[in-house]
Amino acid sequence: MEKLKERILKDGRVAGDGILKVDTFLNHQIDVGLMEEIGEEFYNRFKDAGITKVLTIEASGIAIAAFVARALKVPLLFAKKSTSKNMDGEILTSPVRSYTKGLTYLVSVAGKFLGPEDRILLIDDFLANGSALLGLADIVGKSGATVAGAGIVIEKSFQPGRKRAEEAGLDVCSLVRISAIKDGRVTFLEEDA
Amino acid sequence: MEKLKERILKDGRVAGDGILKVDTFLNHQIDVGLMEEIGEEFYNRFKDAGITKVLTIEASGIAIAAFVARALKVPLLFAKKSTSKNMDGEILTSPVRSYTKGLTYLVSVAGKFLGPEDRILLIDDFLANGSALLGLADIVGKSGATVAGAGIVIEKSFQPGRKRAEEAGLDVCSLVRISAIKDGRVTFLEEDA
């Protein structure tokens, strides 16, 4: 997605080798017009995949996934990073490691929202180590539903997330793939996948 | 908002006196079509208030606030419930008590996203004790920006949140006001505010 690459070059900030901050438009302050366009991109990619629900993880996936779900006209479901008193019935969980925060969450989804007839599109802002994406796929698997695809806004292709996701059988669509973040510079992979 | 009342009666679940679960359409699984309509409602209410930014709190406010921000054509900003390594520069914080989870968060926003010229619309899913709303207003105040209004989807009018918010000078617009949740039944206040 050319526009997203341009935005990363314009407003992203390299905060050290491997570290890209996009808090001005993606994961703290959010450009909702851009999110709507991202929603359309994923719609075009997955509109024929029979998606019945979009699943993301709180918090930075939610705004993106909301516009994807809107474009696909299906409900949005977000996994919680803690099990709250508000959840009842069967709760599906999976451990997800956050390398940024240096801790492991037990991510949870109420089982009643996923069933064997569901075809789930996973959405997240970043794919780096793949822990969040594989955790979501694990939860979907436990429910008997099918993961129909995974839509990622920014893939750090120099980290093992995509390989791990593909080995788990996921169809990964990343709008932007970054091959290196080094010496203050972001380099993109030649093709978008 | 008549449609929202009907949805609460149809899909909300009273889980004890004072406790209403809306996890099928508002704060776990999300009906994004309804969120878009909610966005339009708040747009109509606040379109002439000179809003420059929408501020909410993770996680359940984000999907709602995304559609409000989209309708108003302004950026969305969400306060985080923890200070992450991803945040840098000046960080504005305020303590917010979660009665549901029984703990107090130090909610935070990067100071660079709020300035004296900003007119902020606060958005949240519920108004009960008002702790989250007042915490957001406190953060906006610390930045020198102005709170131009507060949009709430469901107000529990039998709890002190609205009174506290009004005493703090906030212009509160709740789409639905609930006067009682008792004996398995939800009762609405006569007028919407």
Side-chain angles (χ1 to χ4, degrees):
Chain A
M1 188 177 175
E2 225 27 65
K3 186 166 183 174
L4 188 57
K5 285 185 188 172
E6 287 162 18
R7 189 62 177 269
I8 289 169
L9 294 176
K10 179 170 162 276
D11 291 330
R13 197 166 58 76
V14 175
D17 283 358
I19 303 172
L20 173 67
K21 306 253 187 184
V22 288
D23 61 353
T24 58
F25 63 96
L26 190 64
N27 52 20
H28 184 19
Q29 179 167 264
I30 296 171
D31 178 340
V32 286
L34 181 64
M35 295 310 107
E36 193 169 29
E37 291 180 60
I38 285 172
E40 289 299 323
E41 287 279 328
F42 285 129
Y43 169 79
N44 288 328
R45 178 64 163 72
F46 290 107
K47 62 177 188 272
D48 301 319
I51 307 293
T52 60
K53 213 165 271 194
V54 170
L55 175 64
T56 189
I57 186 167
E58 67 178 6
S60 48
I62 295 176
I64 303 156
F67 287 103
V68 180
R70 185 70 190 116
L72 287 166
K73 298 194 186 349
V74 299
L76 163 65
L77 182 61
F78 70 88
K80 307 203 174 195
K81 284 182 179 164
S82 62
T83 305
S84 106
K85 280 195 221 168
N86 275 327
M87 297 180 78
D88 45 21
E90 184 200 14
I91 298 175
L92 304 172
T93 63
S94 190
V96 167
R97 178 81 189 159
S98 166
Y99 292 85
T100 320
K101 297 200 177 179
L103 49 87
T104 298
Y105 302 96
L106 199 61
V107 164
S108 54
V109 171
K112 64 182 172 184
F113 294 126
L114 294 170
E117 72 292 347
D118 277 317
R119 292 180 55 79
I120 307 298
L121 175 58
L122 307 179
I123 293 286
D124 210 0
D125 56 344
F126 273 94
L127 175 60
N129 288 287
S131 187
L133 198 59
L134 290 170
L136 292 178
D138 180 42
I139 284 173
V140 173
K142 283 172 176 167
S143 76
T146 303
V147 178
I152 299 294
V153 179
I154 301 177
E155 175 187 315
K156 291 178 165 178
S157 306
F158 55 91
Q159 288 187 250
R162 171 175 280 261
K163 188 159 177 289
R164 291 178 65 201
E166 286 179 344
E167 282 168 1
L170 300 187
D171 173 15
V172 179
C173 167
S174 301
L175 298 186
V176 162
R177 301 180 71 186
I178 293 177
S179 58
I181 302 173
K182 216 178 239 182
D183 304 328
R185 232 180 119 244
V186 173
T187 310
F188 298 107
L189 269 191
E190 284 306 305
E191 30 64 279
D192 292 346
Chain B
M1 189 178 174
E2 225 26 66
K3 184 165 183 175
L4 189 57
K5 284 186 189 174
E6 288 163 17
R7 189 63 177 270
I8 289 168
L9 293 176
K10 179 170 160 275
D11 291 330
R13 197 166 58 76
V14 175
D17 283 359
I19 304 171
L20 173 67
K21 306 252 188 187
V22 288
D23 61 352
T24 59
F25 64 95
L26 190 65
N27 52 19
H28 185 19
Q29 179 167 264
I30 296 170
D31 178 340
V32 286
L34 180 64
M35 295 310 108
E36 193 169 28
E37 291 179 62
I38 286 171
E40 288 299 322
E41 287 279 328
F42 285 128
Y43 170 80
N44 288 329
R45 178 64 164 74
F46 290 107
K47 62 176 187 273
D48 300 320
I51 307 293
T52 61
K53 214 164 272 194
V54 171
L55 175 64
T56 189
I57 187 167
E58 65 177 5
S60 47
I62 296 176
I64 303 157
F67 287 102
V68 180
R70 185 69 190 119
L72 287 166
K73 298 195 186 350
V74 299
L76 164 65
L77 182 62
F78 70 87
K80 307 203 174 195
K81 284 182 179 164
S82 62
T83 305
S84 109
K85 280 194 221 169
N86 274 329
M87 296 180 79
D88 46 21
E90 185 200 13
I91 298 176
L92 304 172
T93 63
S94 190
V96 167
R97 178 81 189 159
S98 165
Y99 293 85
T100 320
K101 298 201 177 179
L103 50 88
T104 297
Y105 300 96
L106 199 60
V107 164
S108 54
V109 171
K112 64 182 172 184
F113 295 125
L114 294 170
E117 71 292 347
D118 277 316
R119 292 179 56 79
I120 307 298
L121 175 59
L122 308 179
I123 293 286
D124 209 359
D125 56 344
F126 273 95
L127 175 61
N129 287 288
S131 187
L133 198 60
L134 289 169
L136 293 177
D138 180 42
I139 285 174
V140 172
K142 284 173 178 167
S143 76
T146 304
V147 178
I152 299 294
V153 179
I154 300 176
E155 175 188 315
K156 291 177 164 179
S157 306
F158 54 91
Q159 288 187 250
R162 170 176 280 262
K163 188 159 177 292
R164 292 177 64 202
E166 285 178 346
E167 281 168 2
L170 300 187
D171 173 16
V172 179
C173 166
S174 301
L175 298 186
V176 162
R177 302 180 72 185
I178 293 177
S179 58
I181 303 173
K182 217 177 236 182
D183 304 328
R185 231 179 121 247
V186 173
T187 311
F188 298 106
L189 269 192
E190 284 306 303
E191 30 66 274
D192 291 347

